[in-house]
Amino acid sequence: MRIATFNVNGIVSRLPQLLAWLERESPDVVCLQELKAEDRRFPKAAIRAAGYGAIHHGQRSWNGVAILARGTAPEEIRRGLPGDPADDQSRYLEAMVGGIHIACLYLPNGNPQPGPKFDYKLAWFARLIRHAKKLHESGTPVVLAGDFNVVPTDLDIYDPTSWKKDALLQPESRAAYGRLLRQGWIDSLRALHPGEAIFTFWDYFRNHWDRNAGLRIDHLLLNATLAPRLIDANVDRWVRGAPHASDHAPVWIELGKKNAKRATKARTIGTLGKKSALPAKLKPVLATLVDRPPGNAKDWIFEIKFDGYRLLARVDAKVVRLFTRNGHDWTSKLPHLSRAIRALKLKPGWFDGEIVMPDDSRKSGASFQSLQNAFDSERTSSIVYYLFDLPYYAGRDLTQVPLHERRALLKSLLHQARDPVRFSEAFDAEPKDLVASACQLGLEGIIGKRAASTYNSRRSPDWIKLKCSNRQEFVIGGWTDPKGGRAGLGALLVGVHDKQGKLKYAGKVGTGFDDKMLLGLRRKLEAIATPRSPFTSRTADARSAHWVKPTLLAEVVFSEWTQDGHLRHPVFQSLRTDKPATGIIREQPVAPLGPDVEESHAGLPARLRVTHPDRVIDPSSDITKIDLIRYYARAGTLMMEHLAKRPVSLVRAPRGITGQLFFQKHLESGEMEGVEKLDPALDRDHVALLAIAKPLGLLSAAQMNVVEFHTWNATSNAIDKPDRMTFDLDPGEGVRWNAMQEGAELMQSFLRQLGLTGFLKTSGGKGLHVVTPIRRQHDWDTVKDFSKAIVQHMAQVLPNQFVAKSGPQNRVGRIFIDYLRNGFGATTACAWSARARPGMGVSVPIAWQELRTIKSGAHWSVRNVDDRLLIGNKPWSGYAKHSVSIGPVMKKLRFKPT
């Protein structure tokens, strides 16, 4: 079957060209757009005479769609895109033809942008994405065909610079198209022509057709049910060259019987992800321990939880390097794996997997202890490498591509692989049955991964682990002497870190060893012996124990935790060397992602209802509402140190950061749990200000489309006396980042000369913030005027670098130091607040010695800040101790308050 889409650009005026094409090419199904004719003017007789049945939805002006079928009448299913009953534009038709669900669409153009037409385009696109998800999951073969009015990538246009302001190329348009593809749709034309500049539209102006200055905006997308039947796809260019032609050419696909090989090719060579250089380092996604299988198991992929080491393979040309999850290079330890991967002749990429040692003595066929023994004896040639993910490949960043697509590509690349490299297969069964079988076979458990999940280098609720028993790593802090005839040692003293990073004692582990293990462990422990206990809590056998530096890890199986935080019935399994001791905490299972994504999210309070979680807030990074809420859930405790008791203003983005933003400092209507109203007397307008009372307030606010949190320079219990000064270093046009770094260092130096201490943080945008703690002794006007005097002094001494006057014309090539943040009611973005700017940078506290390593004021973003959360507020330790009276400082600057 051949299915085509064609923007005819006026079916009445271009009927001869349409009929000539139908006669010559004889497509089986045709989707037409831009009919420019009411239904009564649709040329039914001529279409019927050409051998085609038709359904149509016409309209005057620029709209109108139709579906034609050769030798039969399309069976209409839907007329109009659902989601907005008030939308009366004729842009969408659905019909069944030959067992295939045909959706014909004419997506709004959106020009001029910005404006109401572009807003309508994005709203229409959002409705299409919601409806397309249902179509894709229907199990019926579906094709979305039509004029999408989107140029997906720069490969799809002759010169993007000439069209950069056009709605067809805007980041929001491209991001929406990307979201559609990530549902699992295959862009058929691009899938079969991956590197070709192939076009479907040529403007009438400036000889675009003669110069082949075209665009690709007409697409046929196939769902996973239909994709295996894709045989061919192309463009009938000759139609565009005919007299009085449409500015579009017909695009067609050829479908045959189900062909697994062709489906694999479509996935393999499709334009997944985005172009990217291969990063030098990569941190893996980590799974979250859960207490039960997810309720919506059909949306998950389940694999064996291997009893081994996590290993990442970096392939670049003929060089293959193998890295542990902590970035240690193990290539020299596993030369047979390096050779096996190199023999596959893969393109550059990062491959994620787990190494195991087969053990025929176990039902499960693999043993962590035998793997450890292989390394100890340097006999590693039997180790097998199971690969399960592919975050980068062939110059493409696939981290934001759905997991099921990454795995399909990975499987196609490994179809000729032999031992010791294998693909980690998924199991099609109920997760509860899989867990039962895994436990019966002696496996550690199973891993579940949300099929649509992205690859984020952090512990993710979209990757879960279900264990057969309580098993985790513990930090070894000491040992006891053996008793009786036992050799080596009596028991290991182990612990875990609490939230403050302190090592807490968790109990003794005295079983699970053989004599060889006991003697080997004793030698390793004696090598790291230390006179003091590393534990911060009370320890058993403290008087007779031998202490060690807390660097070694023991993997332990145990029955349960006692009420006082100790292990019951612990059994030693092995030493672990692939994880950092500092990251070992007590693993506590959480509830998995619930069946209703709008009501339940792992890691979030159960009572928090998140509406429209998949709404994209930032089209440039595809960050969604739930991404932001989850970020604030992770950063909430750190952020509360900066929010505590301070009035806060909120920046809301109901339509995302590209829409209109609203600044709110009063709770005008509704309630946000965790956000409290302050005494109205605190504000000079006698209206209640806001404060974040607890971390839940951040999540409640983000649910109400709040992106940014801005704080005052005073706390609510002393609102008239500021306790800090804030200097916002804002670069003017032409100021390079190294000049910003130098400017901040000069600011720090001058503050030191005055006897003040400046604490530094990124702004999350273009600049830097320097915050100086002061004692609550002066009113707002005095503090503001003094901060102005500081800035004016710096601008006078270094006029080529700094300016004290606002306005873009004043700061060209110079840094404006904004002292106006120090007035009553003025605010500054709080530390750890996300910013409503493309990329969604985060304001992060940093140490002065780190400044030269930072690449911009948005060095960290919602996407990459997770590792920084582990460092937290440590760069600002001692902040309160550096609070000083500014009275003596004023005298140094010869400043006299008015």
Side-chain angles (χ1 to χ4, degrees):
M1 178 183 285
R2 178 168 290 200
I3 301 174
T5 182
F6 183 21
N7 182 318
V8 71
N9 196 7
I11 194 168
V12 175
S13 60
R14 292 191 171 85
L15 182 61
Q17 288 78 13
L18 172 63
L19 296 175
W21 170 65
L22 293 175
E23 182 179 4
R24 174 171 165 175
E25 302 294 346
S26 298
D28 297 289
V29 181
V30 179
C31 294
L32 298 176
Q33 303 87 39
E34 205 170 346
L35 302 181
K36 296 183 179 178
E38 296 174 285
D39 283 336
R40 62 182 179 83
R41 297 186 62 212
F42 187 85
K44 294 181 181 179
I47 297 294
R48 190 181 303 114
Y52 287 83
I55 60 172
H56 47 88
H57 182 20
Q59 191 174 19
R60 295 182 63 183
S61 186
W62 302 98
N63 301 325
V65 287
I67 300 176
L68 316 184
R70 188 159 60 92
T72 187
E75 182 182 346
E76 184 173 325
I77 297 174
R78 180 182 296 278
R79 179 172 294 235
L81 184 66
D84 184 0
D87 186 3
D88 59 356
Q89 296 196 26
S90 56
R91 295 183 174 274
Y92 190 84
L93 267 180
E94 283 180 25
M96 290 295 295
V97 180
I100 296 178
H101 195 138
I102 309 291
C104 173
L105 63 97
Y106 178 37
L107 204 138
N109 176 278
N111 284 311
Q113 71 82 30
K117 291 188 176 181
F118 190 61
D119 293 341
Y120 173 63
K121 176 188 184 114
L122 297 181
W124 204 95
F125 220 145
R127 289 161 53 202
L128 175 65
I129 291 169
R130 289 194 295 269
H131 184 57
K133 186 175 188 295
K134 297 177 182 178
L135 294 178
H136 188 275
E137 296 173 350
S138 66
T140 303
V142 184
V143 56
L144 298 181
D147 179 356
F148 283 70
N149 270 314
V150 176
V151 177
T153 70
D154 287 352
L155 180 63
D156 301 303
I157 184 170
Y158 72 100
D159 180 11
T161 59
S162 300
W163 292 71
K164 62 182 179 181
K165 294 184 179 180
D166 196 280
L168 278 61
L169 273 73
Q170 293 309 300
E172 298 91 336
S173 304
R174 288 180 164 183
Y177 187 77
R179 293 199 301 277
L180 192 62
L181 293 186
R182 284 195 292 279
Q183 293 178 348
W185 298 94
I186 298 298
D187 184 336
S188 52
L189 191 64
R190 182 52 70 208
L192 298 187
H193 300 272
E196 185 178 348
I198 189 166
F199 305 138
T200 67
F201 168 88
W202 296 261
D203 205 342
Y204 290 124
F205 306 106
R206 298 183 293 279
N207 296 317
H208 280 181
W209 167 248
D210 299 325
R211 296 188 291 114
N212 194 30
L215 293 72
R216 189 174 77 93
I217 59 177
D218 303 273
H219 312 302
L220 293 108
L221 308 185
L222 311 182
N223 72 342
T225 307
L226 188 59
R229 295 174 55 182
L230 179 64
I231 295 175
D232 201 359
N234 220 316
V235 180
D236 286 337
R237 287 172 50 92
W238 68 267
V239 178
R240 177 62 178 84
H244 195 53
S246 168
D247 43 10
H248 296 250
V251 186
W252 55 266
I253 58 172
E254 189 77 30
L255 302 176
K257 294 182 179 180
K258 187 172 183 179
N259 187 323
K261 184 176 180 181
R262 172 60 65 185
T264 298
K265 180 181 179 184
R267 287 192 299 267
T268 301
I269 63 178
T271 54
L272 297 176
K274 59 184 179 181
K275 292 182 180 179
S276 171
L278 188 66
K281 297 180 180 179
L282 180 70
K283 292 188 176 182
V285 182
L286 302 179
T288 299
L289 180 65
V290 296
D291 57 5
R292 61 186 181 275
N296 51 341
K298 65 182 178 63
D299 295 333
W300 293 75
I301 294 169
F302 294 95
E303 305 169 63
I304 289 174
K305 188 179 189 307
F306 294 106
D307 195 7
Y309 278 143
R310 189 75 170 271
L311 198 72
L312 296 159
R314 187 181 190 273
V315 179
D316 193 0
K318 295 183 179 180
V319 179
V320 176
R321 310 297 293 178
L322 304 173
F323 297 93
T324 68
R325 57 183 279 180
N326 293 320
H328 300 305
D329 192 331
W330 277 18
T331 311
S332 61
K333 294 185 177 184
L334 299 162
H336 73 296
L337 292 185
S338 179
R339 288 194 299 270
I341 295 171
R342 192 161 52 246
L344 293 173
K345 298 181 180 179
L346 299 166
K347 294 179 180 179
W350 275 100
F351 297 77
D352 192 358
E354 187 115 352
I355 55 172
V356 300
M357 172 63 80
D359 185 350
D360 295 334
S361 67
R362 288 163 51 93
K363 291 181 181 180
S364 64
S367 162
F368 186 86
Q369 186 58 56
S370 57
L371 177 65
Q372 184 66 57
N373 293 340
F375 281 108
D376 289 344
S377 62
E378 297 184 354
R379 292 194 294 266
T380 61
S381 59
S382 297
I383 290 175
V384 174
Y385 191 14
Y386 283 94
L387 295 172
F388 45 68
D389 212 333
L390 181 61
Y392 288 87
Y393 190 68
R396 311 291 296 185
D397 177 354
L398 308 179
T399 57
Q400 301 306 303
V401 171
L403 172 66
H404 68 87
E405 292 191 42
R406 300 197 305 270
R407 283 180 54 85
L409 175 56
L410 176 62
K411 187 173 184 178
S412 71
L413 297 173
L414 299 179
H415 71 282
Q416 293 183 334
R418 300 290 185 269
D419 278 345
V421 178
R422 305 175 186 175
F423 178 69
S424 175
E425 294 285 356
F427 294 88
D428 186 13
E430 287 294 320
K432 62 180 181 180
D433 297 332
L434 287 174
V435 173
S437 298
C439 298
Q440 187 177 6
L441 290 171
L443 297 173
E444 189 178 345
I446 64 172
I447 293 288
K449 302 170 185 175
R450 186 178 285 278
S453 65
T454 55
Y455 193 98
N456 297 313
S457 297
R458 57 177 173 82
R459 194 167 297 281
S460 170
D462 289 328
W463 286 33
I464 59 175
K465 49 188 176 183
L466 291 148
K467 291 186 176 183
C468 294
S469 60
N470 290 315
R471 176 171 174 162
Q472 73 160 85
E473 298 81 20
F474 293 86
V475 181
I476 301 174
W479 83 89
T480 61
D481 288 322
K483 295 181 180 180
R486 186 165 182 164
L489 55 84
L492 297 175
L493 306 178
V494 299
V496 291
H497 293 97
D498 62 14
K499 292 182 179 180
Q500 287 71 45
K502 297 179 180 179
L503 187 62
K504 299 292 185 180
Y505 177 66
K508 297 192 295 184
V509 182
T511 60
F513 311 98
D514 57 28
D515 289 344
K516 183 179 179 181
M517 285 184 198
L518 289 168
L519 292 172
L521 276 170
R522 177 65 178 258
R523 288 193 296 270
K524 290 180 179 180
L525 293 172
E526 287 178 339
I528 56 173
T530 185
R532 294 185 178 181
S533 170
F535 299 109
T536 58
S537 57
R538 190 172 182 178
T539 310
D541 300 314
R543 292 185 179 181
S544 59
H546 304 277
W547 308 116
V548 297
K549 297 176 183 178
T551 56
L552 286 181
L553 301 182
E555 183 157 9
V556 178
V557 172
F558 57 99
S559 61
E560 62 180 341
W561 289 90
T562 65
Q563 289 185 349
D564 57 354
H566 292 171
L567 302 178
R568 191 184 299 278
H569 308 132
V571 179
F572 176 80
Q573 299 295 301
S574 62
L575 289 179
R576 298 291 300 231
T577 59
D578 60 328
K579 298 181 179 181
T582 55
I584 300 303
I585 61 173
R586 176 175 171 175
E587 290 187 0
Q588 297 195 5
V590 298
L593 285 169
D596 183 354
V597 74
E598 290 200 348
E599 294 184 2
S600 178
H601 297 277
L604 301 181
R607 63 182 181 275
L608 178 69
R609 178 177 174 80
V610 180
T611 58
H612 308 296
D614 296 325
R615 177 187 292 158
V616 173
I617 297 174
D618 174 26
S620 72
S621 61
D622 261 4
I623 292 173
T624 62
K625 183 177 180 179
I626 191 61
D627 290 334
L628 182 65
I629 292 175
R630 283 175 173 159
Y631 162 68
Y632 280 127
R634 298 191 297 274
T637 301
L638 296 172
M639 203 166 172
M640 286 306 299
E641 293 184 29
H642 304 271
L643 288 166
K645 298 182 180 179
R646 294 188 186 276
V648 64
S649 295
L650 312 174
V651 177
R652 302 176 70 166
R655 303 191 66 181
I657 66 171
T658 58
Q660 187 175 359
L661 305 180
F662 299 90
F663 203 78
Q664 179 180 352
K665 65 176 183 177
H666 307 296
L667 202 61
E668 296 172 357
S669 61
E671 294 293 333
M672 300 180 193
E673 188 174 359
V675 180
E676 65 180 6
K677 292 183 179 181
L678 299 177
D679 186 346
L682 295 177
D683 190 8
R684 293 171 183 174
D685 294 330
H686 297 285
V687 181
L689 299 170
L690 306 180
I692 306 298
K694 50 188 175 181
L696 178 60
L698 296 168
L699 312 187
S700 301
Q703 153 59 18
M704 297 299 291
N705 304 308
V706 173
V707 175
E708 299 186 6
F709 297 84
H710 292 236
T711 51
W712 286 43
N713 281 346
T715 55
S716 56
N717 58 352
I719 196 70
D720 291 327
K721 300 291 178 66
D723 65 346
R724 69 185 184 194
M725 291 187 293
T726 299
F727 300 94
D728 180 3
L729 278 64
D730 190 4
E733 183 180 350
V735 175
R736 295 186 176 182
W737 180 246
N738 60 351
M740 285 294 296
Q741 293 168 316
E742 182 181 349
E745 289 168 344
L746 289 169
M747 182 95 212
Q748 178 204 27
S749 177
F750 183 56
L751 290 173
R752 280 180 175 174
Q753 291 177 34
L754 293 174
L756 299 171
T757 301
F759 288 84
L760 183 65
K761 68 184 181 78
T762 63
S763 69
K766 296 180 180 180
L768 295 164
H769 295 161
V770 178
V771 181
T772 302
I774 62 175
R775 292 181 183 170
R776 300 170 178 168
Q777 296 174 331
H778 302 275
D779 60 23
W780 285 97
D781 291 340
T782 299
V783 172
K784 178 183 175 183
D785 290 344
F786 178 55
S787 67
K788 178 180 179 181
I790 292 175
V791 173
Q792 288 177 331
H793 179 81
M794 294 192 67
Q796 291 169 2
V797 174
L798 299 167
N800 292 328
Q801 290 180 279
F802 300 108
V803 62
K805 292 183 178 180
S806 61
Q809 69 278 6
N810 296 322
R811 64 177 86 172
V812 174
R814 295 184 292 177
I815 300 169
F816 170 57
I817 307 178
D818 187 355
Y819 62 86
L820 299 173
R821 309 287 177 135
N822 299 304
F824 181 86
T827 59
T828 306
C830 181
W832 303 110
S833 174
R835 304 303 303 275
R837 303 183 181 193
M840 295 196 74
V842 173
S843 179
V844 174
I846 63 174
W848 283 102
Q849 57 267 32
E850 293 182 281
L851 177 57
R852 289 292 175 172
T853 68
I854 304 302
K855 297 179 180 179
S856 74
H859 185 87
W860 288 280
S861 69
V862 171
R863 285 278 188 225
N864 67 10
V865 75
D866 280 1
D867 286 345
R868 187 68 188 189
L869 295 176
L870 299 176
I871 297 174
N873 294 320
K874 291 179 182 178
W876 280 27
S877 60
Y879 174 90
K881 296 179 182 178
H882 288 87
S883 178
V884 300
S885 171
I886 61 173
V889 182
M890 293 179 187
K891 294 179 181 179
K892 287 185 180 181
L893 199 61
R894 297 180 180 177
F895 172 80
K896 295 182 180 180
T898 57

